[in-house]
Amino acid sequence: MKHKLILFWILILLSYSCKKPGIVINNGFAIKNITIIDPIDGVSENMTIIIKDNKIVNIDKSKNINISPKSIIYDGTDKYIIPGLWDFHVHFAFIEELAPSMFNLFLGYGITSVRDTGGELKFVKQWKNNSLKSPNISPRVKIAGPLIDGKMNVYDGSSKSYPKLSIRNKNKDEILENLELLYKSGVDFFKAYEMLSPEQFLLITNYAKEKNMKVSGHVPLSMDVNSAVNAGLNSMEHLRNLELSISKNSDDLFNQRKTLLCCSNISKGSELRSKIHNLQRMVAVSNLDTNKMKSVFSKLAKNKVSQTPTLNLYNGFSNYKFLDDNWTKSFDYLPLKISNKWKSEISNFESLEPNENSKAFSKLMMKIVYEMKKYNIEFISGTDTPIGYQTPGYSLHDELSLLSKAGFSNLDVIYSATFAPAKYFGMEDTLGSIKPNRIADLIILNKNPIENIDNTKDIWSVIKNGNYLDRSELDSLLMN
């Protein structure tokens, strides 16, 4: 009996010695038993992800990976992990005193990358530089520099509603000079604006093609969607001026715009733009042409012109959604002076009824987004924050909710805020999905966003460039 007992313990010891030693993760950590939601591959349950330095280095079924207890291990049971989110349309320069708080707000809400779509070059470039200096605690920042506008420019610094976000270009030489300056200064794309002439717009797109750069923007009022796409427009913001090209009377509207742009006695770009919008927008909306819609949407799809519709911007003003408790609660994380100012300003809307035209236009934008999606047009989520009382970070989640309500699958919504923006900048092999060798920009959620996209708001932790930020650290970012 004694010999049998000794033999038993020898066999036990041998069985342990034959086991592979657990993986020791230096300069990193593991997340075990988590459900991966990848924008390309979909849902994978009971997975382990190993992150080292700033990269995902291994992913497998949890049963297949043995991690040493010497390693840092986070238990992902009943949790869900998605790539870090992008807000693809932000403005650091719209409220300059808010800009120093925007990094913390973005990360606190799980936005690990942003694209700034217009502001004075020196001002916006400092935020890109700050991000590059501290990638573990800052959102990634892509910039356009200033909006490139025409002989009249809209955002000329003439008022708080129109801060200096754009540059005026009176002739061909100025356009080329400014493009060269922006390119040499390291902008990531060009942003074309509404008061450009067709000749000026073509100079921008031709220069961009030479430099392998993208051109985003509003369809200039001097053009229609087809001519802007033919010239080389790569992406559209807000679906701006799309309705003017898909109405039954689009030719008449185009001729009216040409006359106003040529011969109006209005000297300010913002005033002339507003006059044209007010004259034509609802006329176009009331006369939409199904055949023209098909033609324009097909062209956008064929030329791979992506869309950032900023539905939350329209929804905020058309239905006064910024009066909702959850929206206004997000103001508590803003600097006190800005928070009080916003609360005071929106209180003026409490006794007013929403404008019926604005409501109709916002509803149409939701419908158009749904129709365009049928053509496999790429959508990329963005908000225009902080315009429209949109709290940086928080507002992106409301944008995702509206895309879902517009008819997108929730996986497609996640794709629009993760893989699609990475692809836009040619980063799809390094960012935007959950695969080995990708940068570890990730969000761990408490609830399943495939079941309800609003669950993207229920954040357990954020991983930025391999740096793990737990809930208490995220709360600290939001409060500071």
Side-chain angles (χ1 to χ4, degrees), residues 54-56 83 86 113 140 142 418-419 421-423 425-442 465:
N54 74 329
K55 294 283 184 70
I56 300 170
W86 285 71
S113 301
R140 179 177 293 96
K142 298 291 187 179
T418 56
F419 191 81
K423 181 182 172 185
F425 284 116
M427 301 176 70
E428 63 268 35
D429 292 333
T430 58
L431 196 67
S433 57
I434 305 178
K435 293 179 172 62
N437 299 316
R438 300 308 194 263
I439 294 170
D441 283 7
L442 303 161
N465 203 49

Side-chain angles (χ1 to χ4, degrees), residues 147-150 152-154 166-169 193-196:
L147 312 171
I148 305 171
D149 220 340
M152 302 173 71
N153 60 327
V154 176
S166 65
I167 47 175
R168 179 186 179 197
N169 293 277
Y193 216 60
E194 290 188 54
M195 308 307 287
L196 290 163

Side-chain angles (χ1 to χ4, degrees), residues 165-210:
L165 305 182
S166 65
I167 47 175
R168 179 186 179 197
N169 293 277
K170 297 190 292 290
N171 53 51
K172 173 181 176 179
D173 290 339
E174 282 192 356
I175 284 266
L176 293 175
E177 182 180 330
N178 282 319
L179 287 168
E180 190 73 10
L181 172 64
L182 292 173
Y183 178 74
K184 289 181 177 179
S185 298
V187 300
D188 301 290
F189 67 106
F190 298 120
K191 173 79 176 285
Y193 216 60
E194 290 188 54
M195 308 307 287
L196 290 163
S197 69
E199 295 75 22
Q200 289 175 318
F201 187 81
L202 189 60
L203 283 173
I204 295 168
T205 54
N206 284 343
Y207 183 91
K209 289 172 188 174
E210 290 176 13

